[in-house]
Amino acid sequence: MPILEIESLSIHFRIGPLWNRILLRAVDDVSLGVEEGESLGLVGESGSGKTTLGRAIMGLIPPVAGRIRFRGWEVRALSDRALRSFRREVQMVFQNPFESLNPRMTILAALEEALALQGVKGRRARRERVGELLAHVGLLPAHAARYPHEFSGGQRQRIGIARALAVQPRLLILDEPVSSLDVSVQGQILDLLKKLRQEMGLTYLFIAHDLAVVRSVCERVAVLYLGRLMEVGPAAEVFRQPAHPYTEALLRAVPDLDSSEPPHAVVKGEAPSVRAIPNGCPFHPRCPRARFRCAHERPGWERVAPGRWSACHFAGEVFDCAGASPVIRG
């Protein structure tokens, strides 16, 4: 059984003035499972619904439909006591490490607060545990006396990871954890995440728009577009041979550092607003393979290979023709 199950989840918002409210479908009928111990990448352009989905799993945003199950428990039906246990086992690392840390609290105070919520009693025990947590993420115990502004972006992200680990979670939701960091620092944080996962048996839901990053840390990948899942499958296979035109377009847009040629422009136009998602397949106005059916009928899931699924009317055709797709290096 997956450690996390998302079933037919929809998250909608009403925006605009009271006399002219517009329905915004941020996440629409998403079903997804995360196996215990795996790292699943959730990718897509900005505005695709990735972060909204992650926050809904944490209980920070209420869905309008669907279910979220953690270890078989229906999250929305948990008692207050069970919900506190859930929030210890599922933690989130946010994109901006500076905004996620209280600038008025030392690192010691921030981590001690998390440990106190976990039930670690005694100031001495908490301080020893803070030192262990900082060592886990490659920092020194002496760093605990400092404030967030005294650290670099990479160091602040290490502290954010340490705070998430303080309550001994089983699942980490990593929301663009390296996108605000320099490339050289990104590699260090990714190496740290790989090491921690191996040492602590963690499960990751890794939210990102950088395909090379996802390729380096995830076994499986799920592709979102305008709040809908387009494709799910093993990361290496999806990147080698995509089964949805949107995934194909994302791959072709990645620059090849070994070539002087610019990225292939295979998608026309800009992504439509989530305020007015097209009928049928949401990608059809930009899809080079679109046909009449795509504009009028929403595609269901098609299995194209073991463990491979695509929400495309012509998934088999795309899959068969994708052998020449570029390989993401990472």
Side-chain angles (χ1 to χ4, degrees), residues 62-208:
V64 298
R67 295 179 175 180
I68 301 170
R69 295 189 186 92
F70 179 73
R71 296 173 56 197
W73 304 331
E74 173 64 50
V75 174
R76 296 179 71 186
L78 293 177
S79 65
D80 290 343
R81 181 176 180 180
L83 190 60
R84 285 194 295 272
S85 176
F86 164 77
R87 287 176 174 162
R88 285 195 296 269
E89 296 198 57
V90 182
Q91 284 287 301
M92 194 165 190
V93 176
F94 295 93
Q95 177 178 1
N96 189 323
F98 191 72
E99 290 182 357
S100 63
L101 294 170
N102 188 333
R104 298 184 179 183
M105 294 178 71
T106 64
I107 303 310
L108 175 63
L111 295 182
E112 271 198 302
E113 182 181 58
L115 291 169
L117 290 173
Q118 187 190 3
V120 178
K121 297 181 180 180
R123 193 169 187 181
R124 181 175 179 179
R126 288 198 296 266
R127 291 196 169 194
E128 289 179 354
R129 178 64 177 146
V130 167
E132 293 172 1
L133 287 167
L134 292 177
H136 263 310
V137 298
L139 296 174
L140 299 174
H143 287 140
R146 299 182 186 178
Y147 288 87
H149 72 270
E150 299 180 74
F151 295 92
S152 67
Q155 289 174 320
R156 285 196 292 262
Q157 194 58 288
R158 290 174 185 268
I159 294 164
I161 294 168
R163 185 177 59 181
L165 296 178
V167 293
Q168 298 180 317
R170 297 178 65 171
L171 170 66
L172 282 188
I173 300 173
L174 299 149
D175 185 13
E176 300 271 11
V178 298
S179 64
S180 63
L181 306 177
D182 292 339
V183 174
S184 59
V185 181
Q186 286 185 11
Q188 297 171 15
I189 298 299
L190 292 176
D191 287 343
L192 172 65
L193 289 171
K194 293 176 191 175
K195 179 176 76 75
L196 292 172
R197 181 176 158 229
Q198 184 177 23
E199 291 177 353
M200 305 177 73
L202 296 167
T203 302
Y204 290 163
L205 177 61
F206 197 102
I207 298 170

Side-chain angles (χ1 to χ4, degrees), residues 210-221:
D210 188 326
L211 299 181
V213 166
V214 171
R215 176 69 179 87
S216 71
V217 296
C218 299
E219 292 88 40
R220 282 199 308 138
V221 62

